[in-house]
C-alpha cells in the first residue's frame, strides 16, 4: 500500500535520511524504531507531506505521493499523530473530531464520532476545550481520534505512548491493538519501548543516523546484538 | 453637556458598527493567511465609488448597487489574493509591501476615474433625519446600516462557528498544518476569507457613501482604523472586533464633540498606542495565544 524508495532528506548540511526504503502492506502493523534523532519523525513528515525529500520516490496505493499536496494525502487516507499533540485550538474535543471527519472524508457522521469518542474513552470530555482542559492521556487519545475521524487507510502514530505512566500505557497499547484487529487498518508506530513493539508489530524497521539498518520481525531484531548496541547505546546517552 | 455626550456616544455607536465590518474583513484574512491586507480600506472605497457611478450614471439606488459592487470588489480582492499567493519567500513581510503598493494603485485609479472631488449620495431618502426623543440625531442611512452591520457581524459569527466552510476557516486560522493534515485545502479557505471580507467591505462602503462623504484618500484611513481595531480586539475575536470598533467610533465622536474634528484620526492612534503599552494582548484578548 505504501512504498518509499531511496528517500533522502537533507536539512542544510545534515543528512536526516539516506536512501530509506520502507514498504507497508495492507493491514500490516509496522514498528519504526531507532535512537533519538535517527530520522523517524522525518519519515512520517515525508509521507504526510510536511517535508519534501531531496531524492527518492514514494507511492501510496496508486498515487505518486510526492506530487500531492498535504491535504490531498490526508484525503487519500493517510493520517498521522504528532509527538506533541496538536489539537485545533478554540474548538472542543468533539468539534476537533467533527472537523477532521468532515474534511478528511467529505461527509459528517455523528454516530461515528460518538463511536470514536467512546472507543478512546473521551465521551465525558467531548464538550471540553481541546487546547486547555485535557490531561496528557486525553490529549494523546484526541490525537489518535482526530486521525481516526478522517477514516484513514494508513495510520502513522508518532510516539503515541510516550510520556504515559505504566497503566495508561498498557491501556493505550491494548486500545491500539484492538483498533488494528477490528479495522484491519495499516499502522506504522514510532515507539522506543521494545515490549510494546514486540506486542503490537509484525515487523520492525530500525533507523540509525537516517539509514535503515534492519527490517525484520521484532523478535529477530531485538535479538540482534548489532541493532541493540545502536539502540540502547544511544538511548542511555 | 450631558446631551452632547449622549449624542457623541450615539453617533459613535452608529459609526462603530460599520467600522466593525471593515475590521472583521481584515481580521478574517489575517486569520487564514497571516497577512495584513494594506489595500483593504481601498476595497471599501472601491465599493463606494461603484455605488456612486451606479447612482450618477444609471440612476441606480445605492442599495441596488450592492450586489454589483460586491462582484467588482470580490474580483479585485481575488486578484490581490492571487498576487499574494505568488510570493514564495517571506510572505508575511513581502505581502505588506505588495498590498501597500496595490493600495496606492487603487487610490490613484480612483483619483483618475472619479477625481479628487468629495462625493456622496444624491438620493435624499438616506440623508433624512431620524431623531429619538429630541435628543439623539442620526440619518436614515446610519440607522439602516447600523442594523445591517449588526446583522452581518452576527451572520459572520454564525458562518465561522456553525458552517463547514467557516469551521475550515477557523481550523486554518488556528493551525494551518494541522488543518491540512485533516484534509482541509487551505487555498479554498483563503480565497473564501477574501470573498467574505469583500462582502463586508462592500456593505461598509455603501454605508459610508450614503451616510457620509467619500474621497480618494479615505481608503488608507480606513485600513489604518481597521488595523487598530483588530489589534484592540486582540486578533481573532468577533465580539472583540465589534466592541473595539464601537469604542473607536465613540472615542472619535467624543473627540470631535469636545476638541476638534481635525483630531478625529489621531484619537484612534493614541488609543492604539496606549493599549499596546498597557495590554499588548488586546483589550478583549485573554493572554497571548500559542500556535
Ligand atoms: N525541520 C527540520 N529542520 C532541520 N533539522 C531537522 C528538522 N527536522 C528534523 N531535523 C533533524 O533531523 C534529524 C532527525 O530528526 P527526527 O525528528 O526525524 O528524529 P527522530 O528519530 O524522530 O527523533 P526523536 O526520537 O527524538 O523524536 C535530527 O538531527 C533533527 O535535528
Ligand atoms: Mg521524533
Amino acid at each position: 500500500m505504501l512504498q518509499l524508495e531511496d528517500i533522502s532528506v537533507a536539512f542544510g548540511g545534515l543528512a536526516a535520511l539516506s536512501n530509506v526504503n520502507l514498504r507497508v502492506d495492507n493491514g500490516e502493523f509496522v514498528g519504526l524504531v531507532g535512537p533519538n534523532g535517527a530520522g523517524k519523525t522525518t519519515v512520517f513528515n515525508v509521507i504526510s507531506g510536511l517535508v519534501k525529500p531531496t531524492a527518492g520516490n514514494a507511492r501510496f496505493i496508486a498515487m505518486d505521493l510526492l506530487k500531492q499536496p498535504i491535504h490531498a494525502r490526508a484525503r487519500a487516507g493517510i493520517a498521522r499523530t504528532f509527538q506533541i499533540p496538536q489539537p485545533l485550538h478554540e474548538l472542543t474535543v468533539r468539534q476537533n473530531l467533527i472537523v477532521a471527519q468532515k474534511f478528511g472524508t467529505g461527509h459528517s457522521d455523528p454516530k461515528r464520532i460518538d463511536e470514536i469518542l467512546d472507543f478512546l474513552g473521551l465521551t465525558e470530555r467531548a464538550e471540553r476545550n481541546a487546547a486547555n482542559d485535557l490531561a496528557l492521556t486525553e490529549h494523546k487519545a484526541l490525537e489518535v481520534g482526530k486521525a481516526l475521524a478522517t477514516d484513514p487507510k494508513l495510520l502513522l502514530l508518532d510516539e503515541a505512548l510516550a510520556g504515559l505512566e505504566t497503566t495508561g500505557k498498557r491501556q493505550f497499547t491494548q486500545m491500539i491493538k484492538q483498533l488494528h484487529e477490528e479495522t484491519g487498518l495499516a499502522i506504522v508506530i514510532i515507539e522506543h519501548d521494545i515490549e510494546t513493539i514486540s506486542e503490537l508489530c509484525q515487523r520492525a524497521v530500525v533507523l540509525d543516523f537516517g539509514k535503515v539498518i534492519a527490517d525484520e520481525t521484532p523478535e529477530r531484531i531485538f535479538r540482534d546484538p548489532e541493532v541493540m548496541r545502536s539502540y540502547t547505546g544511544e538511548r542511555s546517552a | 453637556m450631558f446631551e452632547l455626550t449622549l449624542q457623541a456616544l450615539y453617533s459613535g455607536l452608529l459609526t462603530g458598527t460599520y467600522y466593525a465590518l471593515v475590521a472583521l474583513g481584515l481580521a478574517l484574512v489575517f486569520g487564514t493567511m497571516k497577512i495584513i491586507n494594506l489595500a483593504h480600506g481601498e476595497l471599501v472605497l472601491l465599493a463606494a465609488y461603484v455605488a456612486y457611478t451606479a447612482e450618477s450614471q444609471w440612476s441606480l439606488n445605492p442599495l441596488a448597487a450592492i450586489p454589483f459592487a460586491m462582484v467588482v470588489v470580490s474580483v479585485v480582492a481575488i486578484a490581490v489574493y492571487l498576487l499574494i499567493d505568488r510570493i514564495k519567500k517571506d510572505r508575511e513581510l513581502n505581502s505588506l509591501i505588495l498590498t501597500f503598493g496595490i493600495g496606492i494603485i487603487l487610490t490613484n485609479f480612483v483619483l483618475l476615474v472619479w477625481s479628487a472631488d468629495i462625493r456622496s449620495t444624491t438620493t435624499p431618502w438616506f440623508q433624512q433625519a431620524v431623531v429619538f426623543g429630541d435628543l439623539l440625531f442620526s440619518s436614515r442611512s446610519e440607522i439602516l446600516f447600523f442594523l445591517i452591520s449588526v446583522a452581518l457581524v452576527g451572520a459572520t459569527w454564525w458562518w465561522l462557528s456553525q458552517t463547514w466552510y467557516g469551521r475550515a476557516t477557523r481550523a486554518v486560522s488556528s493551525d494551518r498544518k494541522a488543518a491540512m493534515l485533516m484534509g482541509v485545502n487551505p487555498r479554498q479557505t483563503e480565497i473564501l476569507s477574501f470573498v467574505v471580507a469583500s462582502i463586508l467591505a462592500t456593505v461598509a462602503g455603501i454605508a459610508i457613501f450614503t451616510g457620509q462623504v467619500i474621497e480618494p484618500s479615505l481608503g488608507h484611513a480606513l485600513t489604518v482604523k481597521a488595523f487598530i481595531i483588530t489589534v484592540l480586539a486582540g486578533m481573532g475575536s468577533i465580539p472583540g472586533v465589534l466592541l473595539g470598533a464601537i469604542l473607536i467610533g465613540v472615542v472619535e465622536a467624543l473627540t470631535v464633540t469636545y476638541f476638534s474634528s481635525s483630531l478625529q484620526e489621531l484619537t484612534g492612534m493614541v488609543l492604539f498606542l496606549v493599549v499596546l503599552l498597557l495590554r499588548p494582548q488586546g483589550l478583549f484578548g485573554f493572554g497571548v495565544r500559542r500556535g
Side-chain angles (χ1 to χ4, degrees):
Chain A
M1 130 183 287
L2 175 78
Q3 191 142 22
L4 303 188
E5 283 168 10
D6 293 322
I7 292 284
S8 297
V9 172
F11 295 113
L14 175 91
L17 295 178
S18 329
N19 298 310
V20 167
N21 288 287
L22 175 69
R23 192 193 149 96
V24 181
D25 289 325
N26 284 330
E28 232 189 337
F29 203 140
V30 178
L32 189 54
V33 299
N36 291 115
K40 304 178 298 292
T41 300
T42 305
V43 171
F44 278 12
N45 286 341
V46 168
I47 299 170
S48 55
L50 293 175
V51 164
K52 273 198 169 50
T54 33
N57 283 307
R59 301 200 67 76
F60 177 66
I61 312 178
M63 195 162 93
D64 183 349
L65 200 57
L66 300 182
K67 291 215 175 85
Q68 303 295 324
I70 299 173
H71 64 92
R73 300 186 197 198
R75 292 218 176 148
I78 296 175
R80 71 170 289 175
T81 68
F82 282 91
Q83 216 162 336
I84 299 159
Q86 306 202 336
L88 295 170
H89 302 278
E90 294 173 46
L91 300 182
T92 66
V93 169
R94 186 189 297 279
Q95 284 170 336
N96 262 267
L97 298 187
I98 291 176
V99 170
Q101 183 183 56
K102 179 69 185 180
F103 294 106
T105 68
H107 59 261
S108 44
D109 177 356
K111 250 182 59 201
R112 175 77 187 130
I113 300 285
D114 286 335
E115 278 171 26
I116 295 173
L117 285 169
D118 184 48
F119 180 71
L120 297 171
L122 285 173
T123 306
E124 277 174 27
R125 296 282 186 272
E127 316 312 328
R128 299 250 190 139
N129 181 299
N132 309 324
D133 302 344
L134 297 181
L136 179 67
T137 329
E138 292 161 350
H139 267 302
K140 296 256 174 188
L142 176 60
E143 257 319 272
V144 177
K146 270 191 330 185
L148 289 182
T150 65
D151 195 13
K153 299 184 174 74
L154 172 67
L155 180 59
L156 309 172
L157 300 172
D158 195 349
E159 307 201 13
L161 305 162
L164 300 179
E165 32 64 59
T166 324
T167 31
K169 192 162 187 161
R170 276 232 61 78
Q171 280 172 7
F172 224 90
T173 307
Q174 288 315 311
M175 197 185 76
I176 290 170
K177 192 173 183 176
Q178 190 190 344
L179 176 74
H180 181 248
E181 281 163 3
E182 283 176 6
T183 59
L185 191 65
I187 302 180
V188 183
I189 187 168
I190 295 176
E191 176 54 43
H192 285 292
D193 185 48
I194 294 173
E195 264 176 52
T196 311
I197 291 288
S198 303
E199 173 161 8
L200 289 174
C201 304
Q202 292 127 21
R203 192 153 61 83
V205 175
V206 186
L207 272 182
D208 194 18
F209 291 111
K211 291 199 175 75
V212 175
I213 59 166
D215 183 345
E216 292 192 63
T217 62
E219 297 83 65
R220 286 210 194 143
I221 281 184
F222 297 123
R223 249 187 272 130
D224 183 337
E226 184 77 13
V227 171
M228 288 312 284
R229 203 173 309 128
S230 105
Y231 199 63
T232 51
E234 295 278 345
R235 281 196 72 198
S236 55
Chain B
M1 186 75 180
F2 173 71
E3 279 96 4
L4 278 179
T5 307
L6 211 60
Q7 175 63 36
L9 291 176
Y10 178 64
S11 303
L13 174 74
L14 297 178
T15 329
T17 44
Y18 81 73
Y19 286 171
L21 295 186
V22 185
L24 204 51
L26 192 81
L28 264 178
V29 168
F30 178 81
T32 52
M33 291 191 83
K34 301 292 173 270
I35 64 130
I36 305 279
N37 177 12
L38 290 177
H40 187 63
E42 275 76 10
L43 295 179
V44 177
L45 193 66
L46 188 63
Y49 275 102
V50 169
Y52 166 72
T53 297
E55 188 183 61
S56 57
Q57 302 292 312
W58 312 314
S59 319
L60 203 65
N61 185 297
L63 294 180
I66 289 180
F68 184 58
M70 270 179 192
V71 172
V72 173
V73 173
S74 298
V75 167
V76 175
I78 289 172
V80 174
Y81 168 79
L82 292 175
L83 286 172
I84 294 171
D85 195 49
R86 293 188 67 89
I87 302 176
K88 297 295 172 226
K89 240 185 97 202
D90 299 330
R91 197 164 77 161
E92 280 86 353
L93 199 62
N94 286 329
S95 65
L96 284 179
I97 301 166
L98 176 71
T99 56
F100 186 68
I102 293 171
I104 292 175
I105 292 170
L106 283 176
T107 302
N108 282 285
F109 173 77
V110 167
L111 257 173
L112 199 70
V113 176
W114 288 286
S115 87
D117 295 343
I118 290 176
R119 315 275 190 196
S120 187
T121 184
T122 49
T123 311
W125 186 89
F126 289 104
Q127 318 253 319
Q128 275 162 21
V130 180
V131 184
F132 291 107
D134 267 347
L135 197 66
L136 301 174
F137 291 82
S138 50
S139 68
R140 279 184 179 165
S141 163
E142 284 177 309
I143 299 290
L144 178 68
F145 280 96
F146 168 76
L147 297 173
I148 294 178
S149 300
V150 170
L152 268 182
V153 170
T156 308
W157 174 85
W158 177 85
W159 175 70
L160 279 176
S161 58
Q162 307 295 317
T163 70
W164 287 113
Y165 287 114
R167 282 184 185 154
T169 306
R170 279 171 76 198
V172 170
S173 309
S174 162
D175 187 333
R176 191 187 165 85
K177 275 190 181 145
M180 287 173 81
L181 286 166
M182 288 176 178
V184 177
N185 182 347
R187 286 177 57 103
Q188 267 174 17
T189 64
E190 286 166 0
I191 291 183
L192 203 64
S193 69
F194 266 87
V195 170
V196 173
S198 302
I199 292 172
L200 300 175
T202 302
V203 174
I206 312 297
I208 299 171
F209 175 62
T210 56
Q212 308 189 4
V213 294
I214 56 172
E215 45 145 342
S217 67
L218 190 66
H220 178 65
L222 283 169
T223 304
V224 172
K225 214 164 285 186
F227 183 66
I228 292 173
I229 292 166
T230 318
V231 175
L232 279 183
M235 289 293 178
S237 137
I238 291 189
V241 166
L242 188 58
L243 288 175
I246 291 171
L247 182 68
I248 290 276
V250 165
V251 173
E252 277 183 6
L254 287 171
T255 309
V256 172
T257 306
Y258 289 110
F259 298 98
S260 150
S261 61
S262 59
L263 292 179
Q264 180 180 351
E265 297 302 321
L266 197 66
T267 50
M269 273 299 178
V270 172
L271 194 62
F272 178 65
L273 289 176
V274 171
V275 170
L276 269 191
L277 283 174
L278 300 180
R279 255 187 89 83
Q281 71 271 43
L283 277 183
F284 313 105
F286 298 97
V288 178
R289 286 198 293 152
R290 51 190 204 111

